[in-house]
Amino acid sequence: MNSLYTAKATSTGAGRLGHVASSDGVLEHELSIPKELGGPGGAGTNPEQLFAAGYAACFHSALQNVARREKTRIADSSVTAEVGIGRQGDSYGLAVELVISLPGIDSEQAEKLVAAAHQMCPYSNATRGNIDVALKVA
């Protein structure tokens, strides 16, 4: 693969209780472990939220690209990514549910667009076969 862009971010401190920042300074966040995972919670974000935000945005972009290619107008669309983390044997694993809203698009067409976007999205391609990803057209 010939990379067109490379994002660079660094984690410092105590991992999930540390700090993350992108090399260009645009992204900069304190991290905190959610109470559900035994942490203090608080104002910091966590890796699952960051992954959910990235996946939602990437999939939404792929969906819009597919719609343009199919000459289908999708106004007021949205993609919500729900990223779960849990035990998998002695380690941890992730599961994702993408909830896609396509107002004004009939369900058959919406399913077609979503399936095509799932084939195009780099996050979907990276996770395919590695974690469970459920697609739900709202």
Side-chain angles (χ1 to χ4, degrees), residues 2 4 19 40 42 50 54 70 73 83 94 116 123-124 131:
N2 182 24
L4 301 175
H19 182 87
L50 295 168
E70 297 294 320
R73 187 173 181 274
V83 175
L94 299 174
Y123 276 66
S124 292
I131 65 174

Side-chain angles (χ1 to χ4, degrees), residues 1 20 34 40 48 78 115 122 134:
M1 180 187 82
V20 290
E48 292 71 37
S78 67

Side-chain angles (χ1 to χ4, degrees), residues 96 100 102 123 130:
V96 175
I100 301 98
L102 291 166
Y123 276 66
N130 297 310

Side-chain angles (χ1 to χ4, degrees), residues 2-134:
N2 182 24
S3 291
L4 301 175
Y5 167 76
T6 300
K8 184 176 177 182
T10 301
S11 170
T12 57
R16 288 179 168 268
L17 283 172
H19 182 87
V20 290
S22 60
S23 59
D24 63 5
V26 172
L27 177 94
E28 190 160 340
H29 286 284
E30 295 301 318
L31 300 175
S32 62
I33 300 171
K35 288 182 182 182
E36 297 86 347
L37 293 177
T45 189
N46 59 66
E48 292 71 37
Q49 287 177 334
L50 295 168
F51 184 71
Y55 203 161
C58 188
F59 194 92
H60 199 194
S61 185
L63 181 64
Q64 291 170 345
N65 192 318
V66 166
R68 274 191 303 277
R69 185 180 69 205
E70 297 294 320
K71 296 181 181 15
T72 302
R73 187 173 181 274
I74 55 170
D76 301 320
S77 61
S78 67
V79 175
T80 301
E82 300 178 11
V83 175
I85 184 171
R87 285 262 185 211
Q88 256 184 347
D90 291 336
S91 63
Y92 289 88
L94 299 174
V96 175
E97 182 176 60
L98 297 176
V99 180
I100 301 98
S101 175
L102 291 166
I105 305 293
D106 70 71
S107 63
E108 185 178 321
Q109 179 67 10
E111 295 286 345
K112 246 178 84 173
L113 293 171
V114 167
H118 193 44
Q119 294 304 308
M120 178 184 283
C121 175
Y123 276 66
S124 292
N125 290 329
T127 59
R128 189 170 287 112
N130 297 310
I131 65 174
D132 292 332
V133 176

